[in-house]
Amino acid sequence: MTCNYDAQGDCAAGIQEYKSEYVDPMYQILEQYHQQVEIVLVIEPDSLPNIATNEADPHCGSYATENAYKTGVAYSINKFKELDVTMYLDAAHGGWLGWEDNTWKFVDLLNDMDFELSSLRGFTTNVANYQPLGEMCPW
């Protein structure tokens, strides 16, 4: 499915599709095995960091996009919390959230969402993009 960034509204149809065709089927699979094997999830690489760093972009910063990401991520965390699995939330990489103003935008965004931060084990970085630390090894 391709996202129509120019669409107006709250993205309710897309959110419902995300829940029913992605999160809920994954939940049903994990529900069968969560007591037999430890499950660790990385929730939504790039989505919330995109909002924090690109709020001026008409695609990433639109109400529909922000509502879809915030609602979808909160739904995922609250849904998978029922299984008592370990969850990490993507926090992009230092090139995105390594700047103090972007870090605070990300924190403010999380505090404005409908889930408890204590549901998470922590944060992951360098999931969908990568920024090395220090100097690269010489060849």
Side-chain angles (χ1 to χ4, degrees):
M1 178 177 167
T2 302
C3 183
N4 179 357
Y5 289 114
D6 297 321
Q8 301 297 312
D10 62 2
C11 208
I15 294 168
Q16 185 54 44
E17 180 180 1
Y18 175 77
K19 291 177 180 180
S20 65
E21 295 185 25
Y22 182 73
V23 177
D24 293 348
M26 185 181 296
Y27 176 91
Q28 291 171 348
I29 293 169
L30 297 180
E31 185 178 35
Q32 298 174 43
Y33 302 103
H34 79 280
Q35 293 182 338
Q36 299 168 22
V37 64
E38 184 177 354
I39 297 172
V40 178
L41 302 175
V42 175
I43 306 295
E44 284 301 321
D46 279 356
S47 63
L48 298 176
N50 261 328
I51 294 173
T53 59
N54 296 308
E55 65 185 1
D57 183 300
H59 295 164
C60 297
S62 74
Y63 172 77
T65 301
E66 183 174 335
N67 186 56
Y69 282 164
K70 288 171 64 174
T71 303
V73 169
Y75 179 82
S76 297
I77 291 170
N78 289 326
K79 184 77 172 177
F80 292 124
K81 179 176 71 172
E82 297 172 12
L83 296 178
D84 196 30
V85 299
T86 300
M87 291 184 283
Y88 292 87
L89 183 65
D90 180 54
H93 59 81
W96 284 17
L97 297 183
W99 305 98
E100 189 173 351
D101 59 333
N102 288 345
T103 302
W104 284 113
K105 289 176 189 175
F106 183 67
V107 169
D108 290 343
L109 182 68
L110 296 180
N111 286 327
D112 189 40
M113 292 178 62
D114 187 24
F115 73 91
E116 295 177 18
L117 283 172
S118 63
S119 303
L120 302 172
R121 173 70 171 91
F123 296 91
T124 56
T125 60
N126 291 331
V127 175
N129 290 296
Y130 180 76
Q131 179 181 353
L133 297 173
E135 294 182 30
M136 297 296 292
C137 295
W139 296 100

